[in-house]
Amino acid sequence: MKKNNATLELSKDEMLAYGHKIVDAIVEHHIKQYEELPVTHGSREEMDSLFLEEAPEKGSEPLEVLDFILDNVMTKSANLTHPKTFAFVPGPSNFVSAMADSLATGYNIFSGGWAASPAAAELEIITIQWLLKIFGFPAKKGGGIFTSGGSMANLTALTTARRIKCGQDFSKAIIYLSDQAHSSNIKAIRVLGFTKEQVRIIPTDSEFKFSINKLKNCIAKDRLEGYVPFCLIATSGTTNTGTVDPLSELAQICKDEDIWFHIDGAYGAAAILSPKGKQLMKGIEKADSLTVDPHKWFFQPYEMGCLLVRNHKHLSQTFTEKPEYLRDIEGNTSEINFYDHGIQLTRRFRALKFYTSIKTFGLREFRTAISYGIDLAEETESVLRKSKNWEVVFPATLAVINFRYNPIGKKYTEKQLDEINQKISDSIMASGEALLVTTLLHGHVVLRMCLINPRTTMNDIMETLELCEKYAAENSLVSLV
Ligand SMILES: *Cc1c(COP(=O)(O)O)cnc(C)c1O
């Protein structure tokens, strides 16, 4: 018999040494990360100089490779769990979930079908049920699926909406979303092959909410012209301002018009676990489908998104295919094959990290952590309002606050203010001290903080604002001469 030496394996001792080194590094990172700077810079040339090579024909010592990776690769990414990461939607992960994720990978669990892994499928069913209850969806009839993120959840939702509402012919189908909807929805619409003429982007009002009147006019006009309105995408927690669309009113319109009601709550929906968030989320339970992103405000490591649906059959009706090579593992209907509920066949075991962290910390700790972020943004708003230098451009909403440097008594033009605030962000980013970027509101440059990290303190915010003021002073001199 031929002996195979190419099994891609290490000895037991080597594996233990290798694994311990990784766990040590992760723990060390978790402890030290809050002292480390959040921003890392690196050009393509610098990265090439470190990593560019032909795929090596001959291997190297495992621990040598690992050392190289720990020193060079792991140190060159922005730290999105850092308390001074204010930009985008931060990713304040947690250690327990990170370890659970490693376990899922270590065992290489196939989370596609029941037969291959009943416990993985069951944990996905159970954790989806937890989420259905949290969001007030029907417990028995409802369903859902974990995805890689919010973008894939939105794509899964729109695919389902189209299948259920339009069947085979979607040539006249029209989809509605607001100008504040997340770009992933537009991407999903493009992936699905809709033309530009089938998309209606409805302007928002002064508070960045869906304008109901404009929406109604648009739907009515489309019907008169022979189009088929089939799907509306609302947002519960816009990325820019944290704004929640008027969910109950939109739900009613969708019901009256027989339109699929999708809510993109990728970052914001988790706020339902807090008392203030619960108020804002009224009506969320009326959606046909809802995107939430556990890798944002449910503190999970990447990648984890989730789509919840009011009727689980809508997913199976959209995604079930019965190829001959899967005929032996179909099982019964209570034993869900998640490959029949979404796009992926082979899927990683995402439910494990979510399950492990909720079991470990309890929902109560999640509620407290989420409420903290909302309160922190409100406290930041009141600090800004009391200052002569800062203007609150949009009030704290779902842990997001938009503001700009606009000192009382100095008569800057709007253009100058845009320049100064852009420069503040550029200087902060160049300093590496905090991850703080701008966005545009009503065409003007503003600074935006998203404060969902439960490890961010008021002190972190005050230090960052002081730094902003320092850079503002420097830059306003320059920009005015
Ligand atoms: C982040 C976000 C998305 C995209 O989710 P990913 O997990 O990044 O794919 C979609 N919608 C909203 C409102 C978001 O905040």
Side-chain angles (χ1 to χ4, degrees):
M1 272 300 272
K2 198 167 175 229
K3 187 168 177 329
N4 182 13
N5 291 321
T7 57
L8 309 184
E9 283 188 310
L10 306 181
S11 72
K12 182 177 177 189
D13 284 344
E14 281 175 323
M15 281 196 281
L16 285 172
Y18 202 92
H20 288 154
K21 188 153 187 158
I22 289 182
V23 172
D24 286 348
I26 295 173
V27 171
E28 199 64 20
H29 171 75
H30 268 263
I31 292 169
K32 279 230 227 89
Q33 62 177 334
Y34 307 130
E35 298 150 26
E36 286 160 6
L37 297 175
V39 184
T40 302
H41 304 277
S43 65
R44 178 64 194 263
E45 287 75 22
E46 286 170 89
M47 295 300 114
D48 272 355
S49 74
L50 281 168
F51 304 119
L52 186 64
E53 62 176 325
E54 296 287 325
E57 198 55 47
K58 186 171 168 299
S60 308
E61 273 303 307
L63 286 177
E64 264 174 39
V65 177
L66 182 55
D67 277 335
F68 174 78
I69 287 168
L70 289 174
D71 292 345
N72 295 291
V73 180
M74 303 319 286
T75 50
K76 290 187 180 58
S77 295
N79 186 352
L80 298 185
T81 58
H82 193 282
K84 284 186 181 170
T85 289
F86 304 111
F88 320 117
V89 178
S93 169
N94 78 89
F95 178 77
V96 165
S97 290
M99 288 297 104
D101 225 5
S102 313
L103 208 52
T105 302
Y107 280 53
N108 201 27
I109 287 168
F110 174 92
S111 205
W114 185 275
S117 179
E122 177 74 6
L123 285 205
E124 187 152 353
I125 294 170
I126 300 287
T127 46
I128 294 273
Q129 276 172 356
W130 290 351
L131 287 167
L132 289 171
K133 178 151 189 236
I134 286 170
F135 289 104
F137 273 51
K140 273 236 163 65
K141 223 170 132 203
I145 187 165
F146 291 125
T147 61
S148 55
S151 304
M152 283 303 288
N154 284 334
L155 176 62
T156 308
L158 301 191
T159 311
T160 308
R162 184 172 75 180
R163 176 85 179 181
I164 299 304
K165 290 292 184 198
C166 310
Q168 303 287 342
D169 180 13
F170 48 89
S171 56
K172 293 268 172 199
I174 302 285
I175 188 161
Y176 303 84
L177 64 169
S178 88
D179 60 18
Q180 292 296 305
H182 191 269
S183 58
S184 60
N185 293 295
I186 296 289
K187 250 198 232 179
I189 289 167
R190 198 177 303 145
V191 170
L192 288 173
F194 288 107
T195 63
K196 266 206 328 246
E197 289 67 37
Q198 292 177 282
V199 184
R200 302 283 180 267
I201 296 178
I202 309 293
T204 47
D205 62 18
S206 61
E207 293 192 318
F208 302 105
K209 290 182 184 174
F210 233 113
S211 163
I212 296 286
N213 185 47
K214 288 183 182 135
L215 172 68
K216 281 184 170 169
N217 285 344
C218 195
I219 293 173
K221 186 162 159 280
D222 283 332
R223 289 233 188 263
L224 288 173
E225 290 180 355
Y227 289 110
V228 183
F230 89 101
C231 181
L232 183 146
I233 305 169
T235 311
S236 60
T238 61
T239 318
N240 262 344
T241 54
T243 299
V244 181
D245 280 324
L247 303 179
S248 294
E249 280 171 277
L250 292 172
Q252 190 59 48
I253 293 173
C254 288
K255 191 162 175 238
D256 295 345
E257 298 278 350
D258 189 26
I259 291 174
W260 182 280
F261 185 31
H262 176 61
I263 300 179
D264 179 2
Y267 115 78
I272 200 166
L273 283 179
S274 75
K276 285 174 189 161
K278 200 172 171 77
Q279 284 297 110
L280 285 171
M281 295 300 152
K282 274 197 185 134
I284 202 167
E285 72 286 351
K286 299 196 175 93
D288 290 300
S289 55
L290 168 68
T291 288
V292 291
D293 233 355
H295 66 206
K296 287 176 174 166
W297 218 349
F298 279 107
F299 314 110
Q300 301 304 307
Y302 305 131
E303 302 174 343
M304 191 176 196
C306 176
L307 180 70
L308 298 177
V309 287
R310 161 164 305 283
N311 183 344
H312 68 86
K313 289 208 179 105
H314 289 155
L315 289 181
S316 50
Q317 283 164 11
T318 305
F319 294 104
T320 303
E321 284 293 326
K322 299 258 171 252
E324 62 282 6
Y325 38 81
L326 294 177
R327 59 196 278 269
D328 290 336
I329 59 165
E330 269 177 25
N332 68 41
T333 50
S334 73
E335 297 171 349
I336 294 177
N337 294 314
F338 278 94
Y339 59 68
D340 277 340
H341 284 209
I343 296 165
Q344 282 181 279
L345 170 57
T346 303
R347 308 167 65 240
R348 54 181 291 106
F349 184 12
R350 296 192 177 92
L352 185 64
K353 52 187 164 186
F354 195 67
Y355 177 82
T356 310
S357 60
I358 302 258
K359 287 271 282 184
T360 305
F361 299 113
L363 267 187
R364 196 162 60 184
E365 192 151 334
F366 281 78
R367 288 183 205 284
T368 309
I370 290 167
S371 299
Y372 174 81
I374 294 175
D375 293 344
L376 196 62
E378 289 177 1
E379 202 177 330
T380 306
E381 178 183 334
S382 68
V383 166
L384 292 166
R385 286 210 195 276
K386 282 183 202 130
S387 158
K388 288 189 186 124
N389 289 329
W390 295 105
E391 176 193 353
V392 172
V393 181
F394 199 79
T397 315
L398 294 185
V400 170
I401 172 97
N402 285 276
F403 56 99
R404 67 176 179 175
Y405 185 77
N406 185 9
I408 292 174
K410 299 251 173 76
K411 301 240 176 304
Y412 293 126
T413 64
E414 286 294 334
K415 192 162 165 285
Q416 285 170 330
L417 286 173
D418 284 351
E419 274 172 29
I420 295 170
N421 283 281
Q422 186 61 53
K423 281 189 177 144
I424 292 173
S425 163
D426 294 348
S427 306
I428 292 268
M429 293 295 280
S431 78
E433 292 288 335
L435 220 166
L436 177 71
V437 299
T438 64
T439 189
L440 293 179
L441 291 187
H442 298 308
H444 291 297
V445 177
V446 301
L447 296 163
R448 172 183 167 281
M449 280 185 172
C450 180
L451 298 168
I452 63 170
N453 189 335
R455 275 84 69 170
T456 300
T457 63
M458 205 55 218
N459 195 43
D460 292 322
I461 294 168
M462 296 307 287
E463 281 176 8
T464 306
L465 289 177
E466 277 161 30
L467 205 57
C468 286
E469 289 182 357
K470 188 185 121 195
Y471 291 130
E474 290 172 18
N475 284 311
S476 37
L477 292 178
V478 178
S479 70
L480 289 182
V481 289

